[in-house]
Amino acid sequence: NPTTQIVQTDTEEIRFDILIIATGVVTKFFGLDNVKDYSFTLKTTAEGLLLRNQILQCLAKASQCKNDSERNKMLTFVISGAGPAGVEIAGALGEMKKYVVPREYPEIDPKEIRIILIEAADKTLRTMSETASRKSAEFLKEFEVELKLNTSISDYDGNEVYTSEKERIPTDTLIWTAGVEGKCFEGLSSADFGAGKRLIVDEYNQLANYKNIYAIGDCCIMPNEEKKQGDPQVAQVAIQQAARLAKNLNEPLKKEVFVYHDKGSMATIGRNRAVVDLKHKKTAGRFAWWLWLTVHLLTLMGTQNKIITLVNWIGGYFTYNTSLRLLIKPISRVKQPKPYCSSGESPKKEETDQQM
């Protein structure tokens, strides 16, 4: 409520003097309700664990399945969207098919596994350079990933993916990385939201109709004559906006407009395969992969985390060893039996019968 300066959460009301909205984005399904219900997404850690479990379960069940059609469904993995997320998950699955499956699932012939990457545009990594698009496609083909460009998904019923090319692909696993959108809040008007349901802000990250409400990161858009769609929805934009807004709020008399400094983009497509777009250089392959590892290592919190991760990476690189493939599933809390009476007496007979 901008008038009373109150944020209403699901547990309490919080009064504010200055409000900064940094809620990120959610997955966009383009009105495909079945896809929303049956596909797997990767916006949260919980969703990542769910997908991990799904992949391992499919491999485990397929290794014992004698029905060819069911086995093929389990071993077909479809990814929608060939942006960085889609390309990276396709590369990870391709690497698993090449190195892990022959050792851990000897009952499965790696050639049985299909990894299909579907993209509506005419190339992968369309927001990156031509070099990155071309090399990423080459790396994916080395992992036997099937690329279907200029193709979109029209429906998925949990059993088959329906494409714009009238193709039906039987699969138990559709991984959706095709788009994102912002969250709309009650209390703000529809005029405050722009393309992709992102909050429209000025060059100071301030909402036009409010003097004390700001937005940063993926949930906002800062359009101008040069960038009609604002800056890209990547982590560096959010980090730089947060730093600039903090300085402006601390020193209001010296506030400066936000200008995004592009430090480059990168994506990894498995071991020794990555693409990197820097300001003055485009590179791909082993060097790009090591650069990708270095950047992600440096962004980890704490020296201990950096050292442990580095040691694990080095060990995994030379031994091809991976973590235990345990299924990590949440369970509902089991109702506890009633305790014995404090006097030491046994519970009544009907209570004992209920516990049994």
Side-chain angles (χ1 to χ4, degrees):
N1 189 324
T3 305
T4 59
Q5 296 188 186
I6 289 178
V7 171
Q8 177 69 54
T9 74
D10 56 356
T11 59
E12 62 179 331
E13 290 185 348
I14 304 173
R15 294 189 175 275
F16 67 85
D17 296 312
I18 295 175
L19 174 63
I20 302 173
I21 301 173
T23 49
V25 288
V26 295
T27 304
K28 185 176 182 179
F29 295 98
F30 303 96
L32 301 175
D33 292 334
N34 283 340
V35 170
K36 182 177 181 180
D37 292 338
Y38 295 113
S39 66
F40 293 85
T41 54
L42 283 169
K43 292 302 296 179
T44 67
T45 302
E47 290 172 347
L49 285 173
L50 185 64
L51 175 58
R52 175 185 180 278
N53 288 345
Q54 170 70 6
I55 293 169
L56 296 180
Q57 281 183 320
C58 284
L59 292 173
K61 290 179 180 178
S63 66
Q64 303 173 33
C65 182
K66 305 302 180 184
N67 185 300
D68 289 341
S69 61
E70 287 298 318
R71 184 181 174 97
N72 290 336
K73 273 183 60 183
M74 295 174 191
L75 295 179
T76 299
F77 302 94
V78 180
I79 303 111
S80 177
V87 165
E88 291 191 0
I89 190 65
L93 287 171
E95 194 171 37
M96 191 174 187
K97 170 182 175 178
K98 186 174 183 179
Y99 299 115
V100 176
V101 169
R103 183 181 68 232
E104 300 293 335
Y105 304 94
E107 303 87 356
I108 299 176
D109 183 349
K111 294 181 180 179
E112 294 181 85
I113 299 176
R114 293 183 69 193
I115 304 166
I116 305 170
L117 180 59
I118 298 176
E119 169 59 43
D122 59 354
K123 62 182 179 179
T124 61
L125 299 177
R126 61 184 178 84
T127 59
M128 296 180 67
S129 66
E130 289 294 330
T131 299
S133 297
R134 176 173 51 81
K135 294 299 293 185
S136 64
E138 291 176 7
F139 292 148
L140 289 170
K141 288 178 181 178
E142 290 177 10
F143 281 133
E144 299 179 352
V145 174
E146 301 175 36
L147 285 175
K148 294 184 181 294
L149 303 176
N150 297 307
T151 305
S152 60
I153 291 177
S154 57
D155 202 1
Y156 175 58
D157 58 8
N159 293 299
E160 290 182 319
V161 167
Y162 299 81
T163 74
S164 57
E165 301 299 316
K166 308 302 180 183
E167 183 181 7
R168 295 166 63 174
I169 307 172
T171 180
D172 285 340
T173 309
L174 169 61
I175 304 169
W176 190 263
T177 66
V180 294
E181 62 183 3
K183 303 175 183 178
C184 292
F185 302 97
E186 293 184 21
L188 298 178
S189 69
S190 59
D192 295 321
F193 294 89
K197 297 182 181 179
R198 298 161 70 187
L199 289 164
I200 303 172
V201 297
D202 63 14
E203 62 270 27
Y204 299 102
N205 283 93
Q206 183 176 346
L207 272 69
N209 299 321
Y210 311 98
K211 294 182 178 180
N212 59 344
I213 300 181
Y214 302 82
I216 57 175
D218 288 358
C219 70
C220 77
I221 180 172
M222 188 186 294
N224 54 45
E225 293 184 0
E226 294 181 0
K227 300 177 181 179
K228 300 295 184 181
Q229 298 300 318
D231 295 307
Q233 291 172 280
V234 295
Q236 272 300 319
V237 173
I239 293 170
Q240 292 178 31
Q241 285 182 345
R244 170 48 52 200
L245 180 56
K247 290 180 181 178
N248 286 344
L249 292 177
N250 285 326
E251 301 178 2
L253 298 180
K254 298 180 180 179
K255 69 178 184 178
E256 299 178 13
V257 300
F258 172 75
V259 178
Y260 173 52
H261 300 286
D262 189 355
K263 296 183 179 181
S265 303
M266 55 181 62
T268 180
I269 310 101
R271 178 186 300 259
N272 293 326
R273 297 171 178 86
V275 291
V276 174
D277 286 350
L278 300 177
K279 189 173 183 179
H280 302 292
K281 184 177 178 61
K282 319 295 181 187
T283 184
R286 188 186 297 269
F287 173 74
W289 186 67
W290 283 106
L291 185 61
W292 182 90
L293 290 177
T294 302
V295 169
H296 284 75
L297 188 68
L298 293 176
T299 56
L300 292 178
M301 296 290 288
T303 303
Q304 184 177 359
N305 281 339
K306 291 181 173 68
I307 294 173
I308 292 174
T309 302
L310 179 61
V311 171
N312 288 338
W313 280 355
I314 293 173
Y317 182 80
F318 289 106
T319 64
Y320 285 85
N321 188 30
T322 53
S323 60
L324 290 175
R325 275 163 289 286
L326 298 176
L327 296 180
I328 305 171
K329 285 185 173 181
I331 61 171
S332 59
R333 184 175 178 85
V334 178
K335 187 176 181 180
Q336 298 297 318
K338 295 182 179 180
Y340 285 99
C341 303
S342 58
S343 61
E345 298 176 357
S346 298
K348 297 179 181 179
K349 183 179 184 300
E350 55 269 24
E351 291 179 351
T352 306
D353 291 341
Q354 290 176 0
Q355 292 174 25
M356 294 176 66

